[in-house]
Amino acid sequence: MQYRIEGMDCASCVGKIETALARMPGVSDIQLNFATEKLELTLADDAATQPSDIEKTIKSLGFGIASNNPIEDPMAVAATSDKAPHVQHWWQTRKGKQVVGLGLLMSVAYIIALLVPDYGTWVFAVAVLVGVFPFVRQAWALARSGSIFSIEMLMSVAAIGALIIGEAEEAAAVVFLFSVGELFESVAADRARAGIRALAALVPKTAILLDAQGKQSTVAASALQVNDLVLVRPGDSVSADGVIIDGASSLDDSPVTGESVPVAKALGDQVFAGSINIDGALQVRVEKTAADNTIARIIELVEQAQASKAPTARFIEKFSHYYTPAVMAIAALIIIVPPLLLGGEWATWLYRGLALLLIACPCALVLSTPAAIASGLAVGARRGLLIKGGSALENIGRVETVAFDKTGTLTQGEPRVTDVVAFAQTDLNVQDKGLQGKSGQGENEQHQDITAENALLALFASVEASSSHPLAKAILQHAEAANVTVPTATNASATAGKAVQATVAGRSLAIGSPVYAAQQATISSAQQAQIQALQNEGKTVSILFDEQTREALGLVALRDELRDDAQAGVAKLKTMGVRAVMLTGDNRLTAQALANNLDVDWEAELLPEDKLSLLNEMQAKGKVAMVGDGINDAPALATADVGIAMGGGTDVALETADIALLKSQVTDVAHLIALSRATMSNIHQNVIFALGLKGIFLVTTIFGVTGLWIAVMADAGATVLVTLNALRLLRFK
C-alpha cells in the first residue's frame, strides 16, 4: 500500500504514525518519509485490518491521508510531480484556518473581558475549551496508539491544568501560541520539501511525437514509449532520455548534472529529460520511459536518501525516548516535592510544573538532524552531487584520505595525441600536396616543420584508418582536428599485439610499439633517447616505419590526459587537510608522471585485490573515501567508508557507490567534504539551540521567572529556529 500523508511538520510525526501502524494486525514493512510525505507499508491478505482502518487511524492522529497506489498504466507513475498535491497558502491549510479561528476567538474574548470584566474569565475559559478540544482528541488518539508522551498530550494537560487553577487567560494564550507554533513548523516543513518539487517540475509535461511519416502530434511526456521519435525544438526542454538521431545543438544539462556550461551534442549523443535545448532542432529516439528517466531516478534516490536515518539522527531519536519521560518525571517532582516537603503553595508549583511539561516537548531536538540532512541532500542534488543517504553525507566530511582511481577519474578516460615527431622530413613526400595539410611550399622553416608533422600524421591516420583500437581512434581524431588530408590505404592488415600494416602511395608502412619497431627497422640512439623521454612522461609511443627500407619515419605519442580540474581538485583537498592518493593498475611510468603533476602519493600496477588490501590498510588509520568511474571499481567503492562514482548521469554512476558526481569533476570531491562539514556544523548548532533554549527556560520556570505562554514560545521558537537554520544550507555555495 502507498499513501501520501499530509500535515507532518517534524520528524517526531513520523514516529507517531509508525507507532500507531505497528500496533495494527497484519501491517508490516512500514516506511514513512517525512521529507516527501510518502508512506509505504505491506498489508497481509488475511489480515483483520482493512485499508479503511489504516486511513481512519491516521486521520484520528490529526493527519491527512490520500491513496497513492500505482494506477493501471505504469507510464503514469513517472514523475513524483504527477502525484504532488496542490500547494496551498498557509491560510488555506487546516492549521492555518485553526490559527485564524483561534485568533478571532481570542480577540472576541479580550473585547468582552474589557467591556464586561466580571465575565472575562468565563469567556477565556470557553475559548480554551473550544481551542484545546482538537488537541485533546488528537492526544487521546495518540495515547491509544502508543504515543503517550506526545506534545499534544503535554499541551492539553498544561492548558486544562492552568484553567483549573484559575489562569484562564494564560491557558487561552497557551492554546493560541501552540497553534501558531504548529503553523510555523508546517510552513517551514513545506519550504524544505520545495526542493524536490522544483526538481520534478523540470521535466516537461508534454512532448512532440513524430510518426513514421514525420507528422507531429503533441502527447503527454508520461505516455512516451521506448523507441518513440520526438522532436525537440530550440528553447524546448527534452521530454525523455534518449539518443540524437538527427540534428546538432548545445544543451543545458544543469537540471541533471548541475553543469552550468552548455554541452555541444550531435548525432549519436545521449540526452536527458529536463535538459534545455538551446540552438538547434533535434530528433531524439526515446530510450527510457518517463518512470525510468534520469531525473525521475534522481528524485527517487534523493527521496530514499532523505528517508534513511543518519547515525546522528538515530542517536538523537534514541536519546529523546529517555529525555521526554525524564523531564515529565522532573515536572511531577516540581509539582509534588515543594508543597509536601518545603511548605510551598500547591497552585504555584502546579503552575510551574505545567510550564515545565511544555518545555519537555522534544520536537526541536528530534528535528535538529533530519532537517539539516534533508537540506544538505537537496542542495547537493541541485549541484550534481547525488548523495544516497544521511550516513554518506555525515561520513564524507570525516574522511582523512581520498583514494582516486586514475583512468576515467583523474584522467579523461581516453588517450589523446600529445606529440607528433617526424624523423626524416625528406622521406615523407612533403612535396605531395595531398599530405601538406594547411601549409604550402616555400614557407619559413617553422612552417616546414609543421608541414612535416602533418605529413607524418596523415600517414599515421592512413595506416590506422581501418583499426578500431582506442589509440587508432585517437590518432584519427587528431588528424581530423589538424585538418590534414588522409591518403587512401590498401592491403590493410594487423599482426595481433604487434603492429598494423597498410600500403600507402605504393609504400609498405607499419605502425608498432618501440620494441617491435626496433626489431623491424633501424632506430638511431638519438631517436631512442627521444622515445625514452616521452615514455618517462607516461606517454604511449607508436613508431611508423617503412617495411621495405626498414627506415623509421617518425612517432606519435599518446596519453590519457588529466582532467582539466584534477590539479585544482587535489589542491583543494590538501588545503582542507585531506590526503589524496592515486591507485591504478596502469604501469609505473605513466602513474609516476601523472602523480608528479598532481603532487599526490601513488601506487601502480595494482590488481583489484591489491586495491582492496591498500584500502584496508588506510582504513586502519582513519576513514577513507574511494573515487572511481563506477564501472570497474565496484569492489573498492564498496570497501571504502564512502564510495564515490564519477559519471554524468549514467546508469552505473546512479546505481553504484554511496555518492555520484554527475558533473564528473574532481573538484566536486572537495565540495562534497565542504558540504558535509557545513551540514554537521548546522546539526551541532541545531542541537545547541534546542537544548540551550529548553535549558534556559527550564531554570527560569522552576524559579518562577517565566510562565506557561513563555514556555510555549520557547518550544515553538526552538523548533522554528532549528528549521530556519537548517534551511540556510539551501544557500550553501
Side-chain angles (χ1 to χ4, degrees):
M1 308 293 294
Q2 298 179 10
Y3 296 96
R4 182 175 293 279
I5 307 300
E6 298 170 355
M8 293 192 297
D9 302 327
C10 69
S12 62
C13 296
V14 173
K16 295 172 184 176
I17 297 172
E18 288 178 341
T19 300
L21 294 178
R23 295 162 65 96
M24 302 182 74
V27 177
S28 60
D29 301 328
I30 302 165
Q31 295 182 1
L32 180 55
N33 188 334
F34 163 70
T36 61
E37 302 177 292
K38 286 183 178 179
L39 168 65
E40 293 185 6
L41 57 86
T42 300
L43 181 61
D45 291 334
D46 57 350
T49 302
Q50 298 297 314
S52 58
D53 298 327
I54 294 172
E55 296 181 17
K56 183 179 178 181
T57 297
I58 292 176
K59 287 178 180 177
S60 72
L61 301 180
F63 303 100
I65 181 170
S67 177
N68 202 30
N69 293 297
I71 61 177
E72 293 298 322
D73 180 10
M75 296 300 114
V77 187
T80 318
S81 58
D82 289 348
K83 299 174 280 189
H86 172 66
V87 179
Q88 297 176 309
H89 297 291
W90 69 266
W91 59 85
Q92 296 173 314
T93 64
R94 178 179 59 83
K95 292 184 178 180
K97 292 175 182 176
Q98 186 170 319
V99 167
V100 172
L102 279 172
L104 292 173
L105 193 60
M106 288 281 289
S107 300
V108 171
Y110 273 112
I111 291 171
I112 294 176
L114 287 172
L115 297 175
V116 191
D118 293 341
Y119 294 96
T121 300
W122 294 104
V123 174
F124 278 115
V126 172
V128 170
L129 292 174
V130 172
V132 83
F133 177 73
F135 298 114
V136 172
R137 185 173 60 183
Q138 188 177 359
W140 177 244
L142 287 167
R144 290 177 59 194
S145 66
S147 300
I148 300 174
F149 302 116
S150 64
I151 179 57
E152 290 80 9
M153 178 66 77
L154 301 180
M155 195 279 297
S156 298
V157 170
I160 294 172
L163 194 60
I164 291 172
I165 63 175
E167 298 288 348
E169 185 175 347
E170 193 157 6
V174 165
V175 175
F176 178 69
L177 289 172
F178 180 79
S179 299
V180 172
E182 290 273 287
L183 178 61
F184 273 140
E185 291 178 23
S186 180
V187 172
D190 189 65
R191 176 84 170 81
R193 295 181 180 115
I196 287 184
R197 286 203 299 267
L199 190 60
L202 292 171
V203 181
K205 298 294 184 290
T206 60
I208 300 175
L209 182 66
L210 299 175
D211 62 16
Q213 289 74 39
K215 184 180 178 181
Q216 301 178 12
S217 59
T218 301
V219 299
S222 58
L224 292 175
Q225 310 249 353
V226 175
N227 291 326
D228 278 351
L229 191 62
V230 294
L231 174 67
V232 185
R233 300 166 302 190
D236 286 352
S237 292
V238 179
S239 51
D241 284 12
V243 62
I244 297 173
I245 64 166
D246 185 54
S249 181
S250 296
L251 284 96
D252 177 4
D253 282 343
S254 58
V256 177
T257 66
E259 177 57 64
S260 58
V261 179
V263 180
K265 296 192 178 184
L267 183 67
D269 287 335
Q270 298 285 328
V271 294
F272 306 114
S275 295
I276 301 168
N277 185 18
I278 296 178
D279 51 22
L282 300 174
Q283 290 186 18
V284 175
R285 185 176 67 248
V286 177
E287 290 193 327
K288 293 178 182 175
T289 63
D292 199 36
N293 70 41
T294 303
I295 283 190
R297 294 176 66 204
I298 289 174
I299 292 171
E300 182 183 359
L301 289 168
V302 172
E303 289 176 352
Q304 291 172 356
Q306 291 181 336
S308 67
K309 294 177 181 176
T312 304
R314 287 195 294 268
F315 170 77
I316 287 179
E317 281 189 14
K318 188 175 181 181
F319 171 74
S320 69
H321 286 312
Y322 299 100
Y323 160 83
T324 307
V327 176
M328 290 192 73
I330 294 172
L333 292 174
I334 291 293
I335 293 171
I336 297 170
V337 172
L340 287 179
L341 302 181
L342 303 175
E345 293 184 5
W346 280 100
T348 299
W349 289 101
L350 176 60
Y351 179 86
R352 294 178 183 180
L354 292 173
L356 198 62
L357 281 179
L358 295 174
I359 296 172
C361 174
C363 273
L365 183 63
V366 173
L367 185 62
S368 61
T369 298
I373 292 290
S375 293
L377 293 172
V379 76
R382 286 211 310 264
R383 287 164 173 75
L385 313 176
L386 188 58
I387 307 164
K388 301 181 186 177
S391 180
L393 181 58
E394 280 195 28
N395 287 333
I396 187 62
R398 297 174 179 154
V399 300
E400 298 174 19
T401 303
V402 176
F404 289 93
D405 176 49
K406 179 184 74 70
T407 305
T409 302
L410 289 172
T411 66
Q412 301 283 354
E414 56 184 30
R416 294 185 179 180
V417 173
T418 59
D419 302 87
V420 179
V421 180
F423 289 158
Q425 180 176 322
T426 55
D427 290 328
L428 292 177
N429 290 328
V430 174
Q431 290 76 18
D432 187 338
K433 292 182 181 180
L435 300 180
Q436 285 181 9
K438 290 183 177 180
S439 300
Q441 295 179 356
E443 295 180 340
N444 59 32
E445 183 179 346
Q446 180 183 3
H447 283 176
Q448 287 177 355
D449 290 340
I450 294 174
T451 302
E453 291 173 357
N454 284 347
L456 177 68
L457 184 59
L459 293 177
F460 259 99
S462 180
V463 176
E464 295 279 23
S466 60
S467 174
S468 60
H469 193 279
L471 296 183
K473 291 181 179 179
I475 291 171
L476 290 167
Q477 288 173 356
H478 191 70
E480 182 179 355
N483 197 26
V484 301
T485 302
V486 179
T488 302
T490 57
N491 303 323
S493 63
T495 303
K498 293 183 178 181
V500 290
Q501 299 95 0
T503 301
V504 182
R507 304 174 69 181
S508 297
L509 303 179
I511 298 173
S513 68
V515 173
Y516 180 77
Q519 298 170 354
Q520 304 296 322
T522 303
I523 299 178
S524 68
S525 57
Q527 292 166 354
Q528 285 283 14
Q530 229 173 348
I531 294 168
Q532 188 63 47
L534 291 170
Q535 289 179 323
N536 289 340
E537 294 175 7
K539 298 174 181 177
T540 300
V541 177
S542 295
I543 310 295
L544 175 70
F545 58 92
D546 190 315
E547 291 185 304
Q548 294 174 330
T549 64
R550 294 178 57 86
E551 182 180 14
L553 305 179
L555 65 82
V556 165
L558 306 96
R559 187 168 67 179
D560 184 6
E561 292 291 85
L562 289 171
R563 291 183 181 272
D564 294 337
D565 68 328
Q567 289 180 320
V570 170
K572 280 187 178 182
L573 289 175
K574 288 185 178 180
T575 61
M576 301 172 80
V578 179
R579 173 182 175 238
V581 59
M582 182 176 73
L583 307 179
T584 180
D586 209 341
N587 67 76
R588 299 184 65 83
L589 284 177
T590 300
Q592 184 173 20
L594 293 177
N596 288 343
N597 287 340
L598 293 171
D599 191 23
V600 296
D601 298 330
W602 59 279
E603 293 286 344
E605 299 175 2
L606 299 175
L607 297 173
E609 55 266 31
D610 298 328
K611 285 187 181 181
L612 298 184
S613 178
L614 284 170
L615 283 173
N616 289 328
E617 289 178 15
M618 288 187 282
Q619 283 178 303
K621 302 175 184 177
K623 286 191 176 294
V624 178
M626 176 70 197
V627 188
D629 60 13
I631 298 172
N632 56 0
D633 296 305
L637 294 174
T639 299
D641 295 290
V642 182
I644 304 173
M646 304 279 276
T650 61
D651 289 347
V652 175
L654 292 176
E655 299 300 336
T656 60
D658 305 299
I659 300 171
L661 305 183
L662 301 185
K663 292 189 206 173
S664 296
Q665 291 184 351
V666 180
T667 49
D668 276 344
V669 178
H671 297 161
L672 268 175
I673 294 174
L675 176 60
S676 171
R677 291 178 179 178
T679 303
M680 294 309 297
S681 175
N682 192 282
I683 289 171
H684 297 153
Q685 293 165 8
N686 286 347
V687 172
I688 292 171
F689 284 153
L691 293 180
L693 263 177
K694 290 182 182 293
I696 291 170
F697 287 104
L698 180 74
V699 174
T700 58
T701 299
I702 291 174
F703 287 101
V705 178
T706 55
L708 285 174
W709 68 275
I710 291 291
V712 175
M713 289 191 69
D715 172 63
T719 303
V720 171
L721 271 177
V722 161
T723 306
L724 293 178
N725 188 49
L727 291 176
R728 283 193 313 112
L729 279 171
L730 295 175
R731 298 196 301 270
F732 178 80
K733 301 292 184 184

